[in-house]
Amino acid sequence: MESSPLLLWFDLTGVFFFALSGNLLAARKDIDITGGLVLGLLAGLGGGIIRDVLLGVTPLALAKPVYLIPPVVAAVAVYLIGPMVHRVSTLIVMFDAAGLGLFCTFGAARALDHGMPVASAIGLGVVTAVGGGLMRDVVANEMPAVFSGSNLYVVPAATGAGLTVVAVETGTWGPVTATALAAFVVAFRLIAWWQQWRVPLQMRGWTVRDLEVLRRRERSVYGRPARGGGGAAGPAHDPEGDDDNAPTHGPDTRDGDGDDAGGAPGPGGRR
């Protein structure tokens, strides 16, 4: 199964999607094309290298030079087409979700092909799916999607890896099943991101309201765009999360002497 053309194309497609997310993240942070290529390589190849090292085999990214092609193509594509893209954060999440779906299925199938037990295969599928993105985010000084602003990131990957193991063990694994499982994981991840589904916090008793201000300050690229209109969570901000320079306080109500309009002046006529 390791040499199956299906698994090879799944892996290469996942590398391309993750590399796109890395290059788009670099563009969003004003990193040059060389840095974008590095982030693309980390995102696209990092998870697979970690998986193969744990399996005790030569990483596919090193054994087959064809794995270097998708990151290069992704870097060139972002360089040429990037100026026409306006919703960069949304595309980063979409490409990241696509890579997540492809990698969790391929990683679990490859682990089973090397004789790993079921639990280990699921774990390696998750490592394959999230490892590269974790390296990309750490290097780019972004809060990793695994930890913050990532509505159910590991859960879809674990679900896809688990279903892949079931399909392989029951003999139903094939091109149609693999494609359907990858699509399911992608849909699961994007719906969770859009609907802001979250697992419970680490410490019982903490509330979303208590941490709302901290989450706003994190401004993770993986946070869902805010819906329009004011609400209990506060006023809506730019959907792409690019309003870092916007004022965080209300309009200045002081008069020309620095006094608060309608209030008593402080010592020296100023507050």
Side-chain angles (χ1 to χ4, degrees):
M1 184 167 59
E2 177 181 353
S3 60
S4 169
L6 170 67
L7 291 182
L8 177 62
W9 280 108
F10 257 56
D11 205 23
L12 291 176
T13 305
V15 170
F16 178 68
F17 283 135
F18 263 127
L20 279 175
S21 72
N23 281 274
L24 286 172
L25 181 59
R28 188 177 187 271
K29 289 181 168 289
D30 294 326
I31 301 174
D32 62 25
I33 189 171
T34 305
L37 179 60
V38 171
L39 289 183
L41 287 168
L42 289 174
L45 304 179
I49 291 177
I50 296 173
R51 175 204 62 220
D52 291 343
V53 168
L54 293 176
L55 287 174
V57 299
T58 302
L60 288 176
L62 302 179
K64 298 182 179 181
V66 68
Y67 276 83
L68 299 177
I69 296 178
V72 175
V73 173
V76 174
V78 171
Y79 176 77
L80 296 176
I81 305 175
M84 296 180 286
V85 176
H86 300 290
R87 299 187 64 84
V88 175
S89 294
T90 301
L91 287 178
I92 292 174
V93 174
M94 292 178 62
F95 288 133
D96 186 80
L100 191 79
L102 292 167
F103 271 14
C104 71
T105 54
F106 175 83
R110 180 166 168 79
L112 289 174
D113 189 49
H114 282 78
M116 291 292 105
V118 170
S120 299
I122 295 175
L124 288 174
V126 174
V127 168
T128 306
V130 306
L134 178 63
M135 297 170 66
R136 170 201 63 206
D137 295 339
V138 170
V139 172
N141 196 28
E142 180 76 27
M143 178 64 72
V146 177
F147 302 134
S148 177
S150 57
N151 310 274
L152 298 190
Y153 192 80
V154 175
V155 173
T159 302
L163 292 176
T164 298
V165 169
V166 172
V168 173
E169 294 294 328
T170 57
T172 58
W173 175 258
V176 175
T177 304
T179 304
L181 289 177
F184 169 76
V185 174
V186 174
F188 188 1
R189 161 63 177 149
L190 290 178
I191 293 174
W193 169 73
W194 184 255
Q195 296 294 329
Q196 294 184 302
W197 293 345
R198 294 181 181 271
V199 296
L201 295 172
Q202 177 64 34
M203 185 175 295
R204 184 174 178 270
W206 290 4
T207 66
V208 174
R209 179 173 298 179
D210 293 337
L211 299 178
E212 187 65 28
V213 175
L214 293 178
R215 284 178 179 168
R216 288 180 187 174
R217 290 176 181 173
E218 286 172 1
R219 306 193 61 78
S220 171
V221 70
Y222 304 103
R224 179 195 174 279
R227 296 186 176 125
H237 53 74
D238 178 69
E240 287 304 318
D242 297 329
D243 55 349
D244 293 328
N245 296 323
T248 56
H249 303 286
D252 189 2
T253 58
R254 296 178 297 178
D255 56 26
D257 294 328
D259 296 335
D260 193 351
R270 294 182 182 273
R271 285 189 178 272

